[in-house]
């Protein structure tokens, strides 16, 4: 996979001139389902100067690009076929049955590899894990659940951690998902950071999630070809969910998405980054640095992160290259953008970086979701730019989208996750039943 990604960067440089749950059931089950992880953020990167002659990629730069990629998984299922461009968007490439993850009962488990697109519209392969209830009606509800993934290692993706024995990596939403599975919902859990684990590339997450739905609907054993679709996620998973809802009318217009429930979504990445270790050390700076790595992977024709790191930054980069959440936070704790960049370089005014940040900030995307929205957050959450949520919701309402907003009685990001999950699933259950969507617009 690493070779494919480097070749894809070389081609890009060469072609640079030429893309049903009830409240009581939920209340009993979701208290253990702690969804709390800090939000996606980004920063500490800048555009690399062009070093290659036209039509050629400099070998040294290619080496740096390759060094930024995560270590490939030793599993051929994740490899990208050479003829990936011949597959249609959302088309199934291959499938396999899997043993059920330890936390799930009464289901059959499959993994699907399918064609999607990266942030610059190049073809990629992606993975989703599909949990199919043993007791379900044909074409019953299909939930696309975007798990929180604050990581840059491929081993941190949902298709891996569903089977982990590491308590630091286990999917804590399993009890909540078991509730909807027992109610006959089929659940798709995409690896929404993609084959490069591009943490911070929010638009990518939306595209992969939509293509995963298309692939799941066309997967006969799932029995969801004509199903209504719901989207759900919180924080980083909420970002992929919110982007999927906004992109769907143009990116995947044939999908019958009846509702999207998302919470704690960082809707402006530049504002997020400026509040997380820009000028001074921050305990959660590791999330910002991980997003820098992820965006550099996703936009490797525009960004070569290693060229701009200080010795301390290079050390952190080396330690974090394959890190999952706990290690991301540990490595970055107490550091800042000034400390990891050469000469304390500040990059937030860099035009290339700002363009990439805007491209992955939902409040800057003109598209409007057609599906009804349930959005929740703490009104005192200091990790996400609340004004961006307000502005985006107001724009959706003005365009005619029904949006129900819930402000949680919690002081911060983490507790809001658990408080909102029951009403979020109640919202989706009502949409699957065909009830009119409420609105607080």
């Amino acid at each position: 996979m690493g070779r494919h990604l480097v070749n894809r960067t070389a081609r890009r440089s060469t072609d640079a001139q030429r893309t049903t749950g009830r409240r009581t059931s939920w209340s009993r089950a979701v208290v253990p389902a702690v969804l709390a992880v800090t939000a996606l953020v980004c920063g500490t990167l800048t555009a690399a100067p062009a070093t290659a002659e036209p039509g050629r990629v400099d070998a040294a730069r290619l080496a740096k690009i390759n060094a930024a990629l995560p270590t490939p998984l030793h599993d051929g299922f994740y490899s990208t076929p050479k003829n990936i461009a011949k597959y249609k968007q959302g088309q199934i490439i291959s499938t396999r049955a899997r043993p059920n993850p330890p936390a799930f009962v009464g289901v059959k488990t499959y993994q699907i590899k399918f064609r999607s697109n990266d942030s610059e519209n190049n073809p990629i392969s992606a993975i989703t894990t599909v949990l199919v209830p043993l007791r379900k009606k044909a074409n019953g509800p299909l939930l696309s659940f975007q798990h929180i993934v604050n990581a840059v290692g491929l081993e941190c993706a949902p298709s891996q951690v569903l089977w982990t024995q590491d308590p630091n990596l286990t999917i804590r939403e399993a009890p909540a998902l078991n509730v909807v599975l027992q109610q006959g919902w089929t659940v798709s859990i995409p690896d929404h950071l993609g084959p490069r684990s591009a943490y911070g590339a929010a638009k990518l997450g939306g595209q992969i999630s939509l293509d995963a739905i298309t692939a799941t609907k066309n997967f006969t054993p799932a029995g969801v070809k004509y199903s209504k679709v719901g989207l759900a996620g919180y924080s980083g998973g909420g970002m992929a969910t919110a982007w999927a809802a906004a992109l769907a009318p143009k990116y995947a217009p044939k999908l019958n998405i009846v509702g999207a429930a998302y919470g704690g979504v960082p809707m402006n990445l530049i504002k997020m980054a400026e509040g997380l270790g820009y000028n001074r050390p921050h305990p959660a700076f590791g999330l910002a640095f991980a997003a820098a790595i992820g965006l550099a992977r996703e936009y490797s024709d525009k960004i070569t992160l290693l060229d701009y790191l200080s010795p301390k930054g290079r050390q952190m980069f080396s330690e974090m290259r394959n890190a999952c959440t706990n290690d991301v936070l540990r490595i970055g704790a107490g550091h800042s953008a000034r400390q990891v960049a050469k000469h304390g370089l500040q990059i937030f005014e860099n035009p290339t970086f700002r363009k990439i940040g805007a491209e992955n900030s939902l409040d800057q995307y003109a598209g409007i979701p057609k599906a009804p929205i349930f959005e929740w957050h703490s009104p005192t959450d200091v990790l996400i730019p609340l004004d961006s949520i307000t502005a985006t919701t107001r724009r959706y309402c003005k365009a005619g989208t029904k949006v129900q907003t819930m402000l949680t009685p919690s002081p911060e990001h983490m507790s809001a996750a658990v408080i909102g999950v029951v009403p979020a699933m109640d919202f989706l259950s009502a949409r699957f039943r065909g009830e009119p969507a409420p609105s607080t617009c």
Side-chain angles (χ1 to χ4, degrees):
M1 180 173 65
R3 184 182 300 111
H4 169 77
L5 295 174
V6 172
N7 289 342
R8 159 237 184 239
T9 303
R11 290 197 303 272
R12 189 187 290 171
S13 179
T14 301
D15 299 335
Q17 303 301 316
R18 303 182 270 264
T19 161
T20 257
R22 298 293 183 183
R23 181 177 300 275
T24 53
S25 299
W26 277 99
S27 299
R28 288 195 301 268
V30 299
V31 173
V34 181
L35 305 179
V37 187
T38 35
L40 277 172
V41 291
C42 68
T44 69
L45 54 93
T46 187
T51 57
E53 297 176 6
R56 229 181 67 181
V57 176
D58 180 79
R61 184 163 184 251
L62 261 183
K64 292 174 183 176
I65 292 170
N66 194 32
L69 295 172
T71 301
L73 296 170
H74 298 294
D75 184 341
F77 187 74
Y78 290 83
S79 64
T80 300
K82 293 180 179 179
N83 64 340
I84 182 65
K86 293 184 178 181
Y87 288 86
K88 296 179 181 179
Q89 183 179 305
Q91 183 177 354
I92 294 173
I93 299 171
S94 59
T95 65
R96 65 180 179 183
R98 295 279 281 137
N100 288 336
F104 294 91
V105 296
V107 300
K108 288 185 178 180
T109 303
Y110 304 90
Q111 288 182 331
I112 304 173
K113 178 165 64 175
F114 56 93
R115 150 70 192 273
S116 189
N117 299 313
D118 70 8
S119 298
E120 298 186 286
N121 211 32
N122 297 293
I124 58 172
S125 62
I127 306 294
T128 191
T129 301
V130 181
L131 305 174
V132 182
L134 296 179
R135 298 180 182 178
K136 68 181 293 293
K137 294 180 180 179
N139 301 307
L142 170 59
L143 174 66
S144 179
F145 179 75
Q146 286 61 243
H147 173 56
I148 305 171
V149 189
N150 298 319
V152 287
L154 291 172
E155 291 185 351
C156 321
S159 65
Q160 293 287 303
V161 299
L162 278 164
W163 285 269
T164 187
Q165 300 300 312
D166 186 340
N168 294 316
L169 297 179
T170 186
I171 291 186
R172 295 181 174 89
E173 301 93 336
L177 292 177
N178 267 317
V179 174
V180 298
L181 287 164
Q182 296 307 310
Q183 293 172 353
W185 298 17
T186 299
V187 179
S188 169
I189 309 175
D191 290 1
H192 57 81
L193 298 187
R196 305 175 196 99
S197 197
Y199 180 68
K203 183 178 73 171
L204 170 74
Q207 293 175 175
I208 288 175
S209 298
L210 292 171
D211 289 330
I213 295 168
T214 298
T216 302
K217 287 174 73 70
N218 290 324
F219 181 55
T220 301
V224 292
K225 187 173 183 62
Y226 304 106
S227 289
K228 296 177 180 179
V229 178
L231 308 169
Y234 188 81
S235 191
M239 186 148 46
T241 302
W243 267 99
L247 288 168
K250 290 186 177 181
Y251 188 86
K254 294 182 180 180
L255 294 179
N256 183 18
I257 299 175
V258 298
Y262 52 75
V265 178
M267 294 189 179
N268 186 295
L269 299 189
I270 296 294
K271 290 180 181 179
M272 174 72 74
E274 289 174 345
L276 201 73
Y278 175 46
N279 287 316
R280 64 190 64 168
H282 194 285
F285 176 72
L287 294 171
F289 195 67
I293 295 173
L295 287 169
R297 291 168 175 174
E298 186 66 8
Y299 295 87
S300 58
D301 57 340
K302 297 179 176 69
I303 300 164
T304 307
L305 182 61
L306 284 172
D307 285 343
Y308 296 91
L309 295 181
S310 66
K312 181 60 180 177
R314 284 178 171 257
Q315 177 189 341
M316 288 175 56
F317 169 86
S318 178
E319 294 178 15
M320 197 179 286
R321 180 184 174 195
N322 295 300
C324 297
T325 302
N326 282 8
D327 284 335
V328 163
L329 292 170
R330 175 185 59 79
I331 294 166
H335 294 293
S336 70
R338 288 186 181 275
Q339 293 174 350
V340 301
K342 286 181 180 177
H343 313 299
L345 182 68
Q346 297 300 301
I347 53 78
F348 295 99
E349 298 307 316
N350 178 277
T352 300
F353 173 76
R354 296 194 75 87
K355 182 178 180 181
I356 291 172
E359 186 176 322
N360 289 279
S361 294
L362 192 64
D363 68 349
Q364 302 297 301
Y365 178 63
I368 303 291
K370 291 183 178 179
I373 303 296
F374 178 83
E375 185 278 321
W376 83 94
H377 64 274
S378 166
T380 54
D381 192 331
V382 298
L383 290 178
I384 56 177
L386 300 177
D387 60 336
S388 294
I389 297 176
T390 301
T392 303
T393 298
R394 185 181 297 122
R395 180 164 55 87
Y396 288 177
C397 288
K398 187 176 180 179
T401 299
K402 291 187 176 182
V403 181
Q404 181 182 4
T405 296
M406 186 183 80
L407 301 181
T408 62
S410 55
E412 40 70 50
H413 191 76
M414 295 174 18
S415 56
V418 177
I419 293 172
V421 67
V422 173
M425 293 301 107
D426 284 343
F427 173 88
L428 290 178
S429 294
R431 305 292 76 72
F432 285 136
R433 293 193 298 269
E435 297 175 10
S439 175
T440 55
C441 288

